[in-house]
Amino acid sequence: MVKVGKAIAFAQEYAKRQSEDAPFDELMELVQQIVAFHMQHNAEPEAVDLLMEVEDLDLLVEHTDKTNFKRTCLYLNSSAKYLPGPDDNLVLDIAYMIYMKFEEFPRALQIALYLDNMQYVKQIFTTCHDLLLKKQFCYILARHGITFELDEEMCADDEEREGLQEIINNAKLSEGYLTLARDIEVMEPKSPEDIYKAHLLDGRASAGASMDSARQNLAATFVNAFVNAGFGQDKLMTVASEASSGSSSTNWLYKNKEHGKTSAAASLGMILLWDVDSGLAQIDKYFHSTDTPVIAGALLGVGIVNCGVKNDCDPALALLAEYVDREDPAIRIGAIMGLGLAYAGAQSEQIRSKLIPILNDAKASLDVIAFTAISLGLVYVGSCNEDIAQAIIFALMDRSESELGEPLTRLLPLGLGLLYLGKQESVEATAEVSKTFNEKIRKHCDMTLLSCAYAGTGNVLKVQHFLGQCAQHLEKGETFQGPAVLGIAMVAMAEELGLEMAIRSLEHLLQYGEQNIRKAVPLALGLLCISNPKVNVMDTLSRLSHDSDTEVAMAAIVSLGLIGAGTNNARIAGMLRNLSSYYYKEPSLLFCVRIAQGLVHLGKGLLTLSPYHSERFLLSPTALAGLVTLLHACLDMKAVILGKYHYILYFLVLAMQPRMLMTVDENLKALPVPVRVGQAVDVVGQAGRPKTITGFQTHTTPVLLSAGDRAELATEKYIPLSPILEGFVILKENPEYRDDQ
Amino acid sequence: MSTLTVSVKWQKKVFPAVEIDTAQSPYVFKCQLYDLTGVPPERQKIMVKGGLLKDDADWPKVGVKEGQRLMMMGTADEIIKAPEKGPLFAEDMPEEAQVVNVGHSAGLFNLGNTCYMNSTVQCLHSVPELKSALTNYPPSGAGNNVDQSSHQLTVATRDLFIELDKNAKPVAPMQFWMVLRKKYPQFGQLNNGAFMQQDAEECWTQLLYTLSLSLKSSSSSEEPDTVKALFGIEFVSRVHCTESGEESTERESVYSLKCHISQEVNHLHEGLKRGLKSELEKASPALGRSAIYVKDSRINDLPRYLTVQFVRFFWKRESNQKAKILRKVDYPLVLDVFDLCSDDLRKRLETPRQILRDEEGRKLGLKVDQKSSGSDTDVKMTDNEESANGNGGTSKDSSLEGKEVHLTGIYDLVAVLTHKGRSADSGHYVAWAKQENGKWIQFDDDNPIPQREEDITRLSGGGDWHMAYICMYKARLVAM
C-alpha cells in the first residue's frame, strides 16, 4: 500500500502542478532519485509505476543496466496490456529502446512485431550483424506470417540474403513439419474411418450404409484433408493418383457431387500443404479436367498449397491470374479464393489491380463479389488501404435491396473489416461512411468493422459496447448481433483475464439472449479457446450441442472441433463420437460432427489453429483473419457451409501452424537436444529468479507444445538464439560448456 | 544469336544448365524440356516471376536473366477423366430407396394408446416369411371362406408391412387400426372418451389367429397352413393318473410357449420346463370319480419362429386389473430347446445338430476359412428364397432343389416385445427387432433407435425398466 501510495502521491502532486503551470523541476529531481534507488534495489515495478504516473518513462532507459533490464521490460510488456491507448504503445516503445540498448534483439523484434512497426524491424536487421541471429529473426517473421522483403541495407551479401529470405518465405516449413511427424511416428496416413472410430459405437452407429451419401462423402473429404494436412500422403486423394491406370471409377474425387468436387480437388492442396513443388505437380492433372468444379478445386488447391509459403517464381499468381476473369462463377471463386489464401498479408499490388475491377463488375454474381472482397481483405489485412476500402464500399452500395438480405453479402463488410484488422482508431473514417448504408446492412457493417478493428486489443470499452448491442431486442430480423457476439471474443481474446471474463459474459448471453445471439455464442467460445480445450468451455459446448435449436447445436459442434483443433483431445473425441450416433439421422448435424472430428485430429494432432504465438504475446493477423472469416460464414451455417460454399472451411488453412519446438544447428539442420516442457508460470514482478515452468517433463526435440506450455533447454551445451522456445529455434554451442567427464 | 543459361525446377528435381536460344520461340525451349522431363509441351506451365511463359512470347520481353531459376509445372500422368457413370448418391434417391440406407424400416405413429398394436406389428414385421406370404395373398377376398373383416384385416396387415418397408419416415397405421377394431371390437374400448391401452399379447394372438385363417384358406390346396408352419408348436402330452395308473396321449398345437413365472424361476428355461408339467383334475373312468392327473408335455414339432410368452400378468381381483410380475427372468440370445423335445423329435434333430456343431467348430478353429463362414449366410439365403417361393411346407422336411433344410432346435433371438409399467392395460409397449443386417432397433412407436445387442438381454425385468413380455426366436437351420 505504501508503495502504491507513493506513486499516487506523486501523481496528485504532478497533476496539481500541471494544472497550475507550476514548475516540476523539484518534483522531477525527487523522482530521479527514487527511480535510481528502486532500479538498483530490485524494485523495478515500483520505478516503472512511478514514472508512468509522472508521464516520464523515458527516464527509465538511462537507469536500466545489464542486471535489471530484463525484469523491467517484462513488467513494461505485461502492463502494456492493461493500459489504454496510446499509453500502451508508448510503454512498448520504451521497452523496445531498452532491449535495443542491451542488444536483446529477439525480444526487441517481438515488440516491433507487436507494434506492427516495420521501421523497427528494419532497424533491428541493420543494427544486428550476427548472421545466425538474423536467421532466427527470419524464423520469427515467418511464424508471424507477414511478408517482409530484405534489402541490401539489412543484409549486404547476396547469397546470405537469399538464404534469409528463404527462411522468411517459409520454404523449409514443410520439411521441418515432416521431420517432426517422422520423429513422432505419425507419418502413416489416416482414413476418415480411423477418425470416426465407429466400431466403438457398434449397435448405435448408423448401419453400414450400402449407398454413398454425397454429404457424408463430402464430410469424409474434409476430414481426410484436415487429418492428413501437410503430410503429403493420404488414403483417398493421393492414392488414387498413383493408381490412375484408368481406374477412375474408384477415384475418390468422383465420389463427390457437383460442387463437392471442388472441395475434393482442393483437399489435395491441403494434404500437400506448404510443399509447393510436389503439391503443384499433383494438382496439375486436375487443370486438364473438363469438369468445371474440378478446375475450380484445382485453383483453390494451388492457393492452399501456397498458403503461408512464398516462392520466387510466384507460381500461384502465374497459375491463378488468368482464371480470375473467366465466365464461370465457380472457377472465378476458386481462383479468387486461391489468390487470397496464397497471398494473405502480402499486400501485393498485382493482386489488387487484378481483383478490384471485379468488385465493380456488373456482370459478376454476388458470390464472386463476396469472395473477392474477402480475398482483398486477406491480401491487405490490417493495411487500412483506402482504394480497396472505397471499392468494397461502392460494391456494397451497388447491392440491390434483395441482395442485401443474402447471407453472402455479409462477407463484404467482413472484407472491409479485415483491412482494418487490429488497427483501432484508423477504422473511424470508414465506419462513418458505413453509417450511410442501407439500414439492412448498416448495423451489421458497423459491428463487423468495429470488431475487426479492435480484434486482439483487449479493449474493455469495446467489449462493453458489444454487450450493450446484444442487450437490444430486435424486431425486424436484423443480423448485427451475430458479429457483435463474435466481436466480444475477438476483442477479449487478447489476454487471459479478459478472456475469462468474456467466457462468463457469454454464459449470461446464453441464458438471456435471443436465438440470433445464442447461435453466435458457441462460435465466440470457439474463438476464445481455439486449440485450447478448457474444461468449462468444453462442458458448455457439449451441453449446447444437444440444444433443441439446430443452429445453436451446429455452431456448438463446430466449436467443439475448434477448441480441440489439433489436440487429439480424447474427451472431445468421445463427445463427438457420441454425437455422431445421436445425430445419425440428421445429415446436416452429422456433417458438422464429422467436420469437428476432423478438426480435433487436425494434422494428426501436430497442428494448432491458435493465431497467438511467442508465449501468447504476438497475434498473427493472417491467422486471425482466416478464423474470423470462417466464423462469420458459420453465422449462417445453412446457407453457406451446408450449402454449396463449404470450401470456406479451407480458410482455416491460414491459421494452421505446427505446434512444435524444432531445434536446429548453425547450418539449420535438425539438432535433437533435451528440453523441459511444462506449464508456463507468470513471473512478472516476482522477486529473485523464479522458475518459469511447472510440472515439466523432459523430452528430446522436436517436441509438441500444447496451449499454455513453455519449453526450456535442459542442457547447458547449447545456447538458444531466441529466448522463446517455439517453432524453429537456432542453437549455438555454448563456448563455456565443459563436459563433466 | 544469343543464348541464356537458366536452371529449371520441376517437381523436386532441378535441371541446372538449360540453354535458351533467345532467337527462337519459347516453344523450342519447351521442347527442350520435353526431352528432359517427358512432359509434353502443351501441358507445360513455366512460371516466370508471376506469369506464365506463352508459346509465342518474345524472350527479351519476358525478361529472363542469365542464371535465373525457372519453375515448371506439369505432369506426364494420365489426365483423370470423369467416370462414365457417376456414383449414385443417397440424396438423389426417392424416399423409398433411402430406407436401405437407414438400415431399418420405419416407425409407427401412436394413434392414442396404440403402442401395444405398434409393437406387435413391428415384431411380426421382422419375419420375412410372413411378409412374403402376405404378399402372395390374393387381393380379392372372393373364393375364400373367411369372413369379410378377417379378409380386410389381412389386406390391411399386408399393406402396412409394405408401407413400413417403403418409408424412411414414420407411418400412421390408420387403416390397419380401423380394421383391427372392426374385427375385434374389444380393442375399441373407450375410457373417458379415449381408447384404452390393451394387452399386446392379446393383440398378437388375435392377429396371428386371423392371419392363420385367411392365409390357410387363400392358398391353394397343396400349400398348407403358412402361419402354422412358421409359428405353430406341436405338443405331445402324456396324461398320467398316479392313483389309477391310467395313461393317455394327447396332441395339441399352440402358437407360443408359455414361460410361467414363480419364485424358483430365474431363467427362461426353467419357466418353460415348468410350463410343460401340469396337474389337472378330471374324471377317471377307472376310479369312477375325479382324480388328479399329471400332464407331461413334450414338443413334438418345432416351428421356424418360436414365440415365447412370459406370463407376467395375472388377474388381480382386489385391484380389478391385470397385475404384473416384475420378477427378473433372464433369457438367452441363443435358445436351445432340445431337452424340451419328445424322443421322436430328438432323434430327428440329432443329425442336423451334429452338422451345425461341426460347422461351428470349423468356424472357431479356422476363422480364416472363408467357405465355412460363408455357409451360414448360405443357409439364410436359401431360407429367404424358400419363403419367397411361398413354399412354407412343414419345416422339418421342406426341401429346396435337392437341398434339404433342417431344424436344429437351436434358436436365435430376433424380436422382443417389452412392457414398461405395472399392469397390462397401462404402461408402454415397445418392440425391439433385429434387422436383416444384424443390428438391433428399438421401435418406440414412431421413433426407431439403434441398440446394442448386449442391451437386449437387459430387458429381463426386475425393475421398472422395459421388460420382455414376448420373445421371438428364429430357428437356426442347416442344409443337408
Side-chain angles (χ1 to χ4, degrees):
Chain A
M1 280 313 287
V2 179
K3 282 181 243 164
V4 176
K6 183 165 63 195
I8 288 178
F10 269 96
Q12 281 167 346
E13 185 65 26
Y14 181 75
K16 194 175 137 209
R17 293 196 183 190
Q18 204 168 27
S19 60
E20 289 169 5
D21 256 348
F24 304 122
D25 302 352
E26 179 194 348
L27 191 68
M28 291 321 279
E29 206 164 299
L30 258 175
V31 169
Q32 281 274 16
Q33 287 174 12
I34 296 170
V35 167
F37 180 82
H38 276 327
M39 291 301 280
Q40 280 159 20
H41 293 84
N42 295 323
E44 298 86 357
E46 285 80 358
V48 173
D49 284 343
L50 183 57
L51 285 173
M52 273 194 237
E53 293 299 345
V54 298
E55 293 171 29
D56 204 0
L57 262 180
D58 297 337
L59 279 178
L60 204 58
V61 182
E62 62 189 78
H63 287 287
T64 48
D65 57 39
K66 273 222 159 339
T67 57
N68 62 17
F69 80 93
K70 279 189 182 159
R71 288 159 49 81
T72 312
C73 289
L74 199 58
Y75 188 74
L76 286 173
N77 280 350
S78 46
S79 57
K81 285 181 193 157
Y82 302 103
L83 289 172
D87 287 5
D88 55 345
N89 287 0
L90 213 75
V91 169
L92 288 172
D93 270 339
I94 300 291
Y96 171 80
M97 275 190 261
I98 297 173
Y99 278 137
M100 287 305 275
K101 179 178 164 192
F102 294 97
E103 301 197 330
E104 187 74 16
F105 296 120
R107 289 279 187 194
L109 181 64
Q110 306 251 311
I111 293 174
L113 287 176
Y114 184 91
L115 295 170
D116 197 17
N117 190 332
M118 287 304 131
Q119 227 39 53
Y120 280 178
V121 177
K122 255 179 214 157
Q123 196 183 351
I124 293 165
F125 268 97
T126 44
T127 319
C128 175
H129 296 292
D130 184 348
L131 179 66
L132 219 46
L133 257 178
K134 283 187 186 175
K135 283 183 180 165
Q136 184 63 56
F137 301 160
C138 291
Y139 277 127
I140 296 171
L141 287 173
R143 170 63 183 92
H144 196 54
I146 58 164
T147 308
F148 189 73
E149 289 281 339
L150 294 172
D151 57 28
E152 277 166 35
E153 209 180 318
M154 293 182 240
C155 181
D157 187 288
D158 276 350
E159 209 162 294
E160 282 176 8
R161 191 167 67 237
E162 210 169 284
L164 291 175
Q165 191 67 49
E166 198 170 75
I167 299 175
I168 299 182
N169 289 349
N170 254 333
K172 293 276 186 281
L173 182 58
S174 173
E175 211 173 283
Y177 179 60
L178 290 177
T179 311
L180 170 76
R182 270 189 284 271
D183 190 82
I184 296 177
E185 295 177 351
V186 290
M187 279 309 287
E188 182 70 20
K190 273 187 191 281
S191 67
E193 282 71 33
D194 298 336
I195 303 303
Y196 300 164
K197 294 202 172 122
H199 61 275
L200 295 178
L201 294 162
D202 51 4
R204 305 200 130 260
S206 168
S210 51
M211 175 143 305
D212 279 314
S213 154
R215 166 136 313 159
Q216 290 321 312
N217 282 1
L218 180 62
T221 301
F222 279 111
V223 171
N224 182 56
F226 286 144
V227 171
N228 297 304
F231 287 91
Q233 47 179 325
D234 73 328
K235 283 181 176 171
L236 301 179
M237 296 303 295
T238 50
V239 173
S241 74
E242 278 161 24
S244 63
S245 50
S247 60
S248 44
S249 58
T250 54
N251 194 317
W252 180 257
L253 181 67
Y254 289 101
K255 291 236 177 208
N256 289 281
K257 204 177 142 187
E258 294 159 21
H259 45 78
K261 283 183 269 190
T262 306
S263 285
S267 76
L268 193 56
M270 181 76 97
I271 292 158
L272 293 152
L273 187 63
W274 305 320
D275 187 354
V276 178
D277 296 325
S278 33
L280 294 183
Q282 293 214 33
I283 292 169
D284 178 64
K285 56 180 178 284
Y286 296 140
F287 274 100
H288 304 283
S289 171
T290 48
D291 217 355
T292 322
V294 177
I295 300 175
L299 295 165
L300 182 50
V302 168
I304 295 172
V305 165
N306 283 289
C307 182
V309 184
K310 279 157 222 92
N311 192 301
D312 281 340
C313 296
D314 263 343
L317 184 62
L319 289 169
L320 301 181
E322 59 169 311
Y323 288 91
V324 165
D325 299 318
R326 288 288 174 95
E327 280 279 304
D328 190 276
I331 291 187
R332 288 186 94 171
I333 293 176
I336 291 165
M337 186 171 159
L339 283 176
L341 290 174
Y343 294 97
Q347 310 198 4
S348 151
E349 186 59 40
Q350 274 170 297
I351 291 172
R352 189 178 66 146
S353 54
K354 201 88 204 147
L355 294 186
I356 280 194
I358 300 174
L359 288 174
N360 306 319
D361 183 355
K363 276 181 286 174
S365 57
L366 176 63
D367 49 1
V368 174
I369 290 177
F371 278 94
T372 309
I374 292 290
S375 282
L376 278 170
L378 284 174
V379 175
Y380 279 80
V381 63
S383 67
C384 308
N385 187 301
E386 301 246 337
D387 291 348
I388 297 173
Q390 280 287 335
I392 296 178
I393 287 170
F394 284 137
L396 256 173
M397 287 172 165
D398 284 347
R399 294 305 106 204
S400 66
E401 183 87 3
S402 63
E403 277 182 319
L404 286 172
E406 295 273 325
L408 278 178
T409 313
R410 293 179 210 136
L411 293 182
L412 285 169
L414 180 61
L416 195 56
L418 292 179
L419 294 174
Y420 299 95
L421 195 73
K423 289 292 172 241
Q424 312 202 22
E425 294 85 7
S426 318
V427 81
E428 273 164 17
T430 311
E432 211 52 49
V433 177
S434 78
K435 294 213 166 76
T436 61
F437 288 165
N438 184 304
E439 61 171 344
K440 262 190 174 171
I441 197 95
R442 188 190 302 151
K443 269 276 183 106
H444 187 100
C445 191
D446 191 37
M447 289 297 118
T448 311
L449 282 176
L450 215 56
S451 63
C452 286
Y454 288 88
T457 59
N459 189 321
V460 187
L461 294 175
K462 292 298 165 223
V463 173
Q464 281 172 4
H465 177 72
F466 288 131
L467 279 170
Q469 295 294 330
C470 292
Q472 291 176 19
H473 172 69
L474 300 186
E475 299 284 348
K476 283 177 285 182
E478 287 170 282
T479 55
F480 69 83
Q481 288 180 330
V485 176
L486 289 184
I488 297 173
M490 284 162 70
V491 177
M493 70 193 291
E495 43 83 39
E496 208 58 43
L497 265 177
L499 193 147
E500 290 293 338
M501 288 197 284
I503 291 175
R504 282 180 58 92
S505 313
L506 289 170
E507 281 280 347
H508 288 291
L509 286 182
L510 266 186
Q511 286 179 16
Y512 307 115
E514 289 165 31
Q515 197 267 345
N516 55 341
I517 292 176
R518 291 187 77 231
K519 74 176 181 185
V521 170
L523 299 171
L525 288 172
L527 180 62
L528 283 172
C529 302
I530 192 139
S531 288
N532 181 15
K534 289 183 186 245
V535 178
N536 55 339
V537 176
M538 206 191 297
D539 288 341
T540 308
L541 290 177
S542 169
R543 175 161 50 84
L544 291 174
S545 66
H546 295 84
D547 200 275
S548 54
D549 185 299
T550 37
E551 290 200 61
V552 178
M554 283 194 281
I557 292 167
V558 170
S559 286
L560 271 177
L562 291 177
I563 65 167
T567 60
N568 285 343
N569 187 295
R571 199 160 154 218
I572 296 182
M575 282 177 190
L576 291 171
R577 222 169 20 242
N578 290 333
L579 282 169
S580 76
S581 76
Y582 184 77
Y583 286 125
Y584 82 110
K585 269 194 293 188
E586 293 174 62
S588 302
L589 283 151
L590 188 58
F591 182 81
C592 295
V593 174
R594 296 306 187 205
I595 296 297
Q597 285 181 311
L599 285 176
V600 169
H601 298 279
L602 191 70
K604 296 170 201 160
L606 305 192
L607 293 174
T608 177
L609 288 182
S610 175
Y612 279 97
H613 61 100
S614 301
E615 299 187 340
R616 226 182 171 284
F617 182 65
L618 291 178
L619 174 70
S620 166
T622 49
L624 181 63
L627 291 173
V628 170
T629 309
L630 176 77
L631 292 176
H632 269 261
C634 286
L635 284 176
D636 200 332
M637 198 86 83
K638 280 195 181 116
V640 183
I641 290 180
L642 298 173
K644 59 178 207 179
Y645 303 104
H646 34 73
Y647 37 82
I648 275 193
L649 285 167
Y650 288 125
F651 276 120
L652 282 179
V653 75
L654 288 163
M656 286 186 192
Q657 283 292 335
R659 52 183 187 103
M660 63 175 178
L661 164 61
M662 170 83 93
T663 46
V664 294
D665 62 13
E666 295 168 26
N667 301 316
L668 310 186
K669 293 274 170 299
L671 175 67
V673 290
V675 286
R676 287 186 285 265
V677 180
Q679 274 292 306
V681 182
D682 190 8
V683 292
V684 177
Q686 289 197 359
R689 283 159 118 214
K691 287 259 177 290
T692 53
I693 56 175
T694 176
F696 59 80
Q697 285 185 315
T698 308
H699 299 280
T700 305
T701 55
V703 289
L704 287 181
L705 298 174
S706 309
D709 273 0
R710 188 181 285 172
E712 57 183 38
L713 277 196
T715 169
E716 301 275 298
K717 199 173 167 190
Y718 298 98
I719 302 171
L721 291 186
S722 162
I724 294 165
L725 296 187
E726 273 177 36
F728 288 93
V729 174
I730 302 174
L731 297 182
K732 195 168 68 176
E733 283 205 40
N734 186 352
E736 285 158 36
Y737 177 74
R738 294 275 176 277
D739 218 331
D740 283 344
Q741 291 165 352
Chain B
M1 166 150 173
S2 59
T3 53
L4 285 172
T5 314
V6 293
S7 62
V8 177
K9 196 172 182 196
W10 178 64
Q11 299 193 357
K12 299 251 156 174
K13 276 174 261 170
V14 177
F15 302 100
V18 186
E19 289 200 347
I20 300 176
D21 184 349
T22 48
Q24 307 225 306
S25 76
Y27 189 77
V28 178
F29 175 61
K30 286 193 176 178
C31 290
Q32 273 172 274
L33 291 176
Y34 177 49
D35 289 342
L36 288 169
T37 61
V39 181
E42 59 276 11
R43 291 191 37 195
Q44 292 179 7
K45 292 189 187 72
I46 299 164
M47 277 150 265
V48 189
K49 204 70 186 158
L52 285 180
L53 184 64
K54 301 261 182 354
D55 279 356
D56 50 356
D58 229 6
W59 278 114
K61 277 191 194 150
V62 175
V64 176
K65 288 194 266 318
E66 176 77 23
Q68 193 175 341
R69 175 179 285 191
L70 303 180
M71 191 170 171
M72 180 185 127
M73 190 176 141
T75 40
D77 294 357
E78 196 181 328
I79 295 167
I80 293 182
K81 283 193 198 72
E84 303 274 299
K85 204 169 129 267
L88 267 176
F89 294 114
E91 283 85 348
D92 299 336
M93 306 292 280
E95 201 197 350
E96 47 192 281
Q98 290 191 18
V99 186
V100 192
N101 213 13
V102 183
H104 57 73
S105 49
L108 286 165
F109 280 114
N110 195 328
L111 303 170
N113 281 337
T114 59
C115 57
Y116 68 93
M117 179 185 86
N118 288 348
S119 48
T120 306
V121 170
Q122 289 289 10
C123 282
L124 291 176
H125 178 244
S126 65
V127 179
E129 288 86 345
L130 186 63
K131 258 190 262 181
S132 52
L134 278 167
T135 327
N136 291 340
Y137 181 71
S140 63
N144 66 33
N145 48 2
V146 282
D147 60 298
Q148 186 60 24
S149 53
S150 298
H151 169 68
Q152 280 177 345
L153 184 58
T154 313
V155 172
T157 314
R158 184 193 64 195
D159 293 346
L160 183 58
F161 278 13
I162 294 171
E163 278 288 295
L164 281 178
D165 280 333
K166 242 171 44 182
N167 282 300
K169 296 208 174 73
V171 173
M174 226 23 161
Q175 178 69 19
F176 179 80
W177 191 42
M178 267 165 51
V179 181
L180 181 74
R181 265 184 299 153
K182 199 166 154 198
K183 169 79 186 163
Y184 299 105
Q186 68 264 39
F187 294 125
Q189 265 179 302
L190 289 173
N191 185 17
N192 294 332
F195 289 103
M196 281 172 67
Q197 175 72 295
Q198 302 288 337
D199 189 345
E201 195 265 339
E202 200 179 333
C203 180
W204 180 299
T205 320
Q206 303 286 27
L207 184 60
L208 265 194
Y209 176 69
T210 312
L211 291 182
S212 79
L213 283 184
S214 52
L215 289 178
K216 177 157 56 185
S217 52
S218 72
S219 45
S220 50
S221 56
E222 82 251 32
E223 283 184 350
D225 185 349
T226 320
V227 174
K228 194 170 173 204
L230 285 176
F231 300 102
I233 307 159
E234 208 178 282
F235 280 119
V236 55
S237 323
R238 196 172 63 98
V239 184
H240 174 76
C241 179
T242 33
E243 283 181 74
S244 63
E246 285 168 281
E247 215 178 290
S248 64
T249 318
E250 285 176 13
R251 280 176 187 275
E252 59 176 325
S253 184
V254 291
Y255 283 136
S256 68
L257 287 179
K258 301 262 187 275
C259 172
H260 292 277
I261 301 169
S262 69
Q263 284 298 316
E264 295 90 64
V265 177
N266 288 316
H267 196 272
L268 173 64
H269 225 85
E270 295 160 357
L272 290 179
K273 266 199 166 156
R274 273 178 171 273
L276 292 180
K277 230 180 201 145
S278 58
E279 284 186 356
L280 59 150
E281 207 180 291
K282 69 172 186 175
S284 157
L287 295 170
R289 60 176 167 89
S290 61
I292 303 289
Y293 280 74
V294 176
K295 184 177 171 186
D296 198 0
S297 309
R298 285 275 178 271
I299 301 171
N300 200 36
D301 203 354
L302 284 167
R304 193 66 71 81
Y305 287 90
L306 185 69
T307 317
V308 179
Q309 184 210 344
F310 292 87
V311 189
R312 285 207 178 269
F313 297 110
F314 63 95
W315 186 257
K316 212 173 183 180
R317 195 161 295 154
E318 54 267 41
S319 64
N320 207 17
Q321 63 174 4
K322 282 184 184 170
K324 184 167 169 185
I325 305 167
L326 296 174
R327 189 175 174 75
K328 179 180 167 89
V329 180
D330 281 319
Y331 55 90
L333 286 171
V334 179
L335 179 70
D336 189 351
V337 292
F338 190 68
D339 55 347
L340 306 178
C341 296
S342 66
D343 293 340
D344 181 34
L345 180 58
R346 282 188 199 189
K347 237 176 257 158
R348 275 182 280 143
L349 290 177
E350 211 108 272
T351 342
R353 284 171 75 87
Q354 189 56 47
I355 294 173
L356 187 72
R357 262 200 296 276
D358 290 350
E359 230 166 59
E360 263 157 21
R362 232 178 304 145
K363 241 183 274 175
L364 286 175
L366 299 145
K367 270 193 180 147
V368 249
D369 193 349
Q370 284 294 314
K371 250 193 156 175
S372 61
S373 63
S375 65
D376 190 38
T377 46
D378 278 352
V379 174
K380 276 184 193 148
M381 292 263 286
T382 50
D383 185 19
N384 285 341
E385 265 175 63
E386 182 191 16
S387 58
N389 291 344
N391 177 13
T394 35
S395 42
K396 65 178 191 308
D397 54 12
S398 63
S399 61
L400 184 85
E401 285 154 3
K403 224 183 187 183
E404 277 187 73
V405 180
H406 287 265
L407 289 170
T408 55
I410 294 172
Y411 284 84
D412 293 304
L413 189 65
V414 287
V416 183
L417 192 153
T418 60
H419 180 259
K420 188 181 173 180
R422 287 297 170 97
S423 83
D425 300 331
S426 66
H428 186 45
Y429 289 101
V430 167
W432 312 63
K434 194 175 190 172
Q435 302 296 298
E436 276 166 53
N437 57 19
K439 305 248 173 190
W440 280 91
I441 305 288
Q442 174 192 0
F443 288 99
D444 187 350
D445 287 329
D446 53 325
N447 186 20
I449 309 158
Q451 293 289 347
R452 275 179 294 202
E453 191 153 51
E454 57 260 40
D455 288 339
I456 299 302
T457 49
R458 291 201 189 119
L459 306 166
S460 50
D464 268 336
W465 179 236
H466 295 283
M467 58 184 81
Y469 185 30
I470 301 174
C471 285
M472 192 162 70
Y473 286 91
K474 181 181 183 170
R476 211 178 271 183
L477 304 166
V478 287
M480 270 164 62

